Amino acid sequence: AEYMGRSIDLSFHRSIVSMWRALGLGCASELRCDVTLMSGQSFTWKRIGNDQWTGVIGQHVVQLKETEDDVIYRSFPDSELTSMLRDYFQLDTSLTDLYTSWSSACPKLKQVGMVLPGVRIIRQDPVECLFSFICSSNNNISRITLMLDRLRQNFGQKISCVDDVQYYAFPTTKALAEIKEQQLRDLGFGYRARYIVESARFLQTQGEEWLRELRGKPREEVQGALLQFTGVGRKVADCVALFSLGQTDCIPVDTHVWQIACRDYDKKLSSAKSLTPAVYQHVGDLFRRLFGSHAGWAHSLLFAGELPVFREKLAKVAASMKSAKSKSIQAAAIISSDTGTVKIKIKEEESSDNMKIHTSTALSRPSSKRKRPSDVVSRKFLKVDAVVKTEAMLLDTTSPSATTALSIAERCKLSMRVRRPTRKETR
């Protein structure tokens, strides 16, 4: 706009009247912004406060906010972007169904999914995704984000100023191809400067449509095409394929994913000395066999669980569940004496919100011969009978198992006292 012959930027004023609109999730667990946007698949989003994120998609600055059962958005300049954003977050794919399927195949993923609901794969612009992951080589999320911010600010087009922050579109392929390598080195890109310039020139020759038309092609063909770019190896190619080209079963394998596979799925992999092409393929095939057509989505959920920002949350929940589980199991016992034996059989079931312990009781005939503790069947951790001579091993006398044991013991007139189990008994 102009006022008295001078140009005025009104983008900040437009932000005041931008309208909040709903994505229409139907269920909050279909998309959670914190784990989806901060999990290392996109580097454009910034968290503002506790529940709001701002990023750039194409020529729009977009703000997202979580509500109790949905995600709402507004854009600058103000536009109706619901259809575009539903495609961006691939909301036509039911995440609830995928989580259910994955959880039945993998207890580890079930635990991660309980703590990190709503992790879904973004469908990014292939050009931006390609250069973003070229910058990711031997790098961390915060530094990648900084480098891409500098790329936008120096070579991208201004879009809008929102809350006193100027936002820029991602540079065009033409703009990237015209950059001098030294310019990027001066901005801190290091050896990646050459990768960006040469890849931009190659893409300019092939055309952006050639890259976008890789969507829907076979996985091997897509990876082969992407490997033609300077600075793109198997992992970067699979990242670009998964996060922008619709290859839902691509598994980007780095040392972290390799460690997950060694620890949780195939311990024999730990004997490999390096991440060779054969090991890379084997890890990817493990995930594809276990999680099916959307194995890349499952992989990203497990990867998010390993990130420092979410690892502490997972560890706290796991410790809490383990503690509750241990106490519930140790509260049950089999009480025996010379006059009779009370058996409390432990059956454990796992539910999505808690550990449930079910008990059943039975009285045996009086024992004619006193048994020594060493003759008694030893107690194991799950789904077995445990025998404790004379004493009841009860840590929590208010638990259902403990109450049942005490009641039966009283009826049988057994002498009991509450004590903490020894280390040997709890093995």
Side-chain angles (χ1 to χ4, degrees):
E2 289 190 0
Y3 176 72
M4 296 182 67
R6 290 194 296 178
S7 177
I8 302 174
D9 183 2
L10 296 180
S11 58
F12 173 72
H13 299 281
R14 285 197 296 270
S15 73
I16 297 174
V17 297
S18 287
M19 188 176 161
W20 288 101
R21 299 173 174 88
L23 288 180
L25 300 180
C27 175
S29 61
E30 283 295 314
L31 171 63
R32 292 293 84 185
C33 293
D34 55 347
V35 286
T36 296
L37 302 178
M38 302 290 112
S39 62
Q41 56 176 309
S42 173
F43 309 98
T44 184
W45 296 94
K46 307 288 192 303
R47 187 165 190 160
I48 311 298
N50 291 327
D51 64 346
Q52 189 168 304
W53 291 262
T54 303
V56 176
I57 304 176
Q59 296 293 317
H60 298 275
V61 179
V62 178
Q63 287 187 338
L64 301 170
K65 184 183 290 188
E66 292 182 350
T67 66
E68 186 175 342
D69 58 357
D70 209 339
V71 172
I72 58 177
Y73 75 91
R74 61 180 179 178
S75 65
F76 311 94
D78 188 37
S79 303
E80 210 289 326
L81 303 177
T82 305
S83 179
M84 185 195 79
L85 287 171
R86 287 188 64 86
D87 179 73
Y88 181 79
F89 287 112
Q90 305 193 72
L91 293 177
D92 289 340
T93 299
S94 171
L95 199 58
T96 302
D97 291 346
L98 289 176
Y99 268 53
T100 301
S101 173
W102 298 335
S103 296
S104 64
C106 175
K108 170 67 176 179
L109 188 142
K110 180 177 181 179
Q111 184 182 30
V112 176
M114 288 169 60
V115 181
L116 301 178
V119 181
R120 61 171 54 246
I121 296 299
I122 298 170
R123 196 200 314 268
Q124 302 175 56
D125 174 69
V127 175
E128 179 177 345
C129 189
L130 170 66
F131 290 101
S132 296
F133 280 95
I134 286 176
C135 292
S136 73
S137 174
N138 296 316
N139 220 339
N140 57 57
I141 292 176
S142 59
R143 190 157 180 266
I144 299 166
T145 302
L146 176 63
M147 291 167 67
L148 293 172
D149 285 346
R150 290 174 178 172
L151 202 62
R152 291 175 181 274
Q153 292 163 8
N154 286 274
F155 308 105
Q157 180 185 350
K158 284 185 179 182
I159 305 176
S160 295
C161 183
V162 181
D163 299 330
D164 295 328
V165 178
Q166 179 65 57
Y167 290 89
Y168 300 80
F170 195 81
T172 63
T173 302
K174 182 176 182 295
L176 292 172
E178 293 174 351
I179 299 173
K180 304 295 183 185
E181 184 180 327
Q182 189 57 46
Q183 289 177 277
L184 293 177
R185 289 187 176 274
D186 292 342
L187 291 172
F189 283 75
Y191 64 86
R192 303 169 194 86
R194 180 175 68 86
Y195 297 167
I196 292 171
V197 173
E198 291 185 6
S199 291
R201 291 170 183 168
F202 177 74
L203 182 58
Q204 193 174 31
T205 302
Q206 297 291 329
E208 291 185 3
E209 282 309 305
W210 168 80
L211 180 61
R212 293 190 173 94
E213 286 172 359
L214 291 175
R215 282 180 175 167
K217 298 284 181 68
R219 186 179 73 250
E220 294 78 7
E221 182 179 341
V222 172
Q223 188 180 71
L226 293 172
L227 288 173
Q228 296 178 69
F229 289 95
T230 305
V232 173
R234 293 185 305 275
K235 183 222 169 181
V236 169
D238 281 342
C239 285
V240 177
L242 175 62
F243 301 139
S244 70
L245 295 174
Q247 298 293 320
T248 58
D249 63 347
C250 267
I251 311 295
V253 181
D254 59 8
T255 54
H256 299 292
V257 177
W258 181 18
Q259 288 166 3
I260 293 172
C262 291
R263 183 189 66 208
D264 300 327
Y265 304 118
D266 188 352
K267 297 190 183 301
K268 294 179 182 178
L269 280 168
S270 58
S271 63
K273 295 182 180 179
S274 63
L275 189 55
T276 63
V279 172
Y280 189 100
Q281 181 68 33
H282 182 62
V283 172
D285 289 343
L286 273 176
F287 280 89
R288 282 183 280 271
R289 283 196 299 270
L290 192 59
F291 300 115
S293 63
H294 284 68
W297 290 45
H299 145 278
S300 294
L301 173 57
L302 291 169
F303 180 80
E306 300 292 318
L307 293 173
V309 66
F310 303 125
R311 193 186 304 145
E312 184 177 349
K313 184 178 180 181
L314 271 166
K316 286 181 179 179
V317 172
S320 175
M321 290 175 64
K322 184 177 180 181
S323 175
K325 176 177 171 183
S326 177
K327 286 182 179 179
S328 297
I329 291 171
Q330 291 183 31
I334 293 176
I335 308 160
S336 65
S337 75
D338 292 338
T339 57
T341 301
V342 178
K343 291 187 177 182
I344 301 175
K345 188 174 183 179
I346 303 170
K347 180 182 180 183
E348 180 190 282
E349 292 181 359
E350 212 174 286
S351 67
S352 60
D353 55 345
N354 204 348
M355 293 291 180
K356 297 179 180 179
I357 304 296
H358 300 277
T359 61
S360 61
T361 61
L363 289 175
S364 70
R365 293 180 178 179
S367 173
S368 59
K369 181 180 179 182
R370 183 179 179 85
K371 295 181 179 180
R372 293 172 297 156
S374 59
D375 297 328
V376 177
V377 179
S378 62
R379 183 172 68 91
K380 292 185 179 179
F381 193 59
L382 295 176
K383 296 183 180 178
V384 294
D385 290 342
V387 177
V388 181
K389 290 288 291 180
T390 307
E391 299 170 327
M393 203 163 57
L394 304 170
L395 292 183
D396 182 3
T397 56
T398 63
S399 72
S401 297
T403 304
T404 303
L406 289 167
S407 175
I408 295 171
E410 185 176 358
R411 292 205 307 269
C412 296
K413 297 181 180 179
L414 301 176
S415 62
M416 294 178 57
R417 66 185 178 88
V418 176
R419 69 178 178 85
R420 182 175 293 276
T422 65
R423 182 177 297 180
K424 184 176 181 180
E425 288 170 336
T426 57
R427 283 176 186 168

